[in-house]
Amino acid sequence: MSTNRNRPLTLLSLGHACVDVYQGAVAALVPFFVSERAYTYAAASGIVLAASLLSSVVQPLFGALTDRWPMPWLLPLSALTGGTGVALCGVGGSYTLTLAAVAVSGIGVAAYHPEAARAARAASGSGNTGMGWFSLGGNVGFAAAPLLVAAVVATGGLRASPLLVVPALVGAALCAAAVRSSRNGVGTARTTKASGTDDWPSFLRLTGAIVCRSIVFVGLSAFISLYVRQRTGGGEVAGTAALFVLYGGGALGTVAGGRLADRYGRVAVVRRSYVVTVLAVAGVVLVPGPAVFLFVALASAGLYVPFSLHVTLGQDYLPRRVGTASGVTLGLTVSVGGLATPGIGALADATSLQTALLPLIALPALGRLLLAGLREPASPTPAPVAPRRPATQV
């Protein structure tokens, strides 16, 4: 019984891992664009911007649509779209076509997250741990991205990028299986009417804090590989290892965040995580030599511990608009950090990469100020749902 009940959440978590490979893959491809195509920092960060821009614009739209109509068919379709865009970004040498390909991938990722987060919350109930496992799936995908990209592109060059479509095919199959499980009544992912009042002021303050987190995370994602190469002299291996540490910390951080929140409360854990992030990013930017890897790991923990808590807090601040809250907290504010990367890249071209990363120290401090005074919201109480009739045996 328990296994059947958890099946949709398990499938959604695994599918989330496959889809979020493509959020991590764009940043992981940046060093290869710089080395193979001689892009400047600004041009390379423009690719991250292209992946983020359309995603940031359309994500709330998909969230609002899923509030009105369940759209489970979006899950496999968006997985395929996200993977196809990244798979095509290395084909040909045109900068414009590369931008278009990663933009298509960004739209696919944008379409996936609101519906997937809504379905995962319905499948996991109101606990923090279930959403933690769903978020863990995405973070595992992030962590796997630099290893996958390095294995494919370092061996065959950017022209081998079509091989990167494989996780999308697997993810689409997993999402389709999750949809079938829901239709069979096992852990239904249908939206239910929730009681409560939408708290927009608290939600907007939370959103501002997550935007600060997003800029730090995407900025580090785009440039940590190149930066660690410079700081340690370790070459391509050191850069890939640093990006893997940044993403890989999410595996422990996300699950730990759910468990810490069950013990100390979500808001308290989120606030402390932002304080840790300030110190960790300062270490990444300012401490020389191999010790940078320790601070990258600490930054990863500070950035990832509140990740799933952002989502459930947003959903509970807007209990009547769970899809919108999911689209913003899980999608928009993850991708919006890409909007700042061209500025970081331009500053790096004009000065140095270290100087360009210095502003990232202040952003989690600003996020912590925005979180001051937030109260723990009550979990929404779903309206009773009529039991499903058992299927007739033939």
Side-chain angles (χ1 to χ4, degrees), residues 326-356:
S326 301
V328 172
T329 56
L330 188 61
L332 171 63
T333 47
V334 172
S335 59
V336 75
L339 304 181
T341 53
I344 299 173
L347 182 58
D349 286 329
T351 56
S352 70
L353 191 50
Q354 183 180 34
T355 300

Side-chain angles (χ1 to χ4, degrees), residues 82-253:
T84 300
V86 165
L88 294 176
C89 71
V91 178
S94 168
Y95 185 71
T96 301
L97 291 179
T98 300
L99 292 178
V102 296
V104 168
S105 177
I107 292 174
V109 171
Y112 172 83
H113 281 102
E115 177 67 17
R118 182 186 62 79
R121 187 68 189 274
S124 63
S126 60
N128 296 310
T129 303
M131 280 300 293
W133 284 108
F134 172 72
S135 298
L136 170 64
N139 294 334
V140 168
F142 259 107
L147 301 180
L148 177 64
V149 168
V152 172
V153 181
T155 302
L158 287 171
R159 291 186 178 276
S161 65
L163 294 174
L164 296 174
V165 78
V166 172
L169 300 176
V170 176
L174 290 166
C175 291
V179 171
R180 285 195 298 271
S181 293
S182 298
R183 286 176 176 170
N184 290 335
V186 185
T188 181
R190 293 179 181 273
T191 301
T192 57
K193 297 289 185 180
S195 62
T197 303
D198 291 337
D199 183 357
W200 282 102
S202 294
F203 180 76
L204 292 175
R205 290 170 67 185
L206 175 68
T207 298
I210 308 175
V211 168
C212 293
R213 182 260 183 204
S214 174
I215 295 172
V216 174
F217 180 76
V218 178
L220 289 178
S221 297
F223 296 109
I224 194 66
S225 181
L226 294 168
Y227 183 67
V228 168
R229 290 188 199 184
Q230 294 177 5
R231 297 287 279 179
T232 65
E236 191 174 282
V237 173
T240 299
L243 192 58
F244 176 73
V245 170
L246 179 66
Y247 290 168
L252 295 176

Side-chain angles (χ1 to χ4, degrees), residues 260 263-279 301-302 305-306 368 371:
L260 288 170
R263 183 170 182 178
Y264 299 107
R266 290 174 292 181
V267 173
V269 172
V270 170
R271 286 173 180 161
R272 292 169 187 170
S273 299
Y274 277 68
V275 174
V276 170
T277 303
V278 174
L279 302 175
V305 162
R368 174 61 182 84
L371 293 168

Side-chain angles (χ1 to χ4, degrees), residues 292-304:
V292 70
F293 288 99
L294 174 63
F295 287 101
V296 170
L298 187 61
S300 178
L303 290 166
Y304 273 115

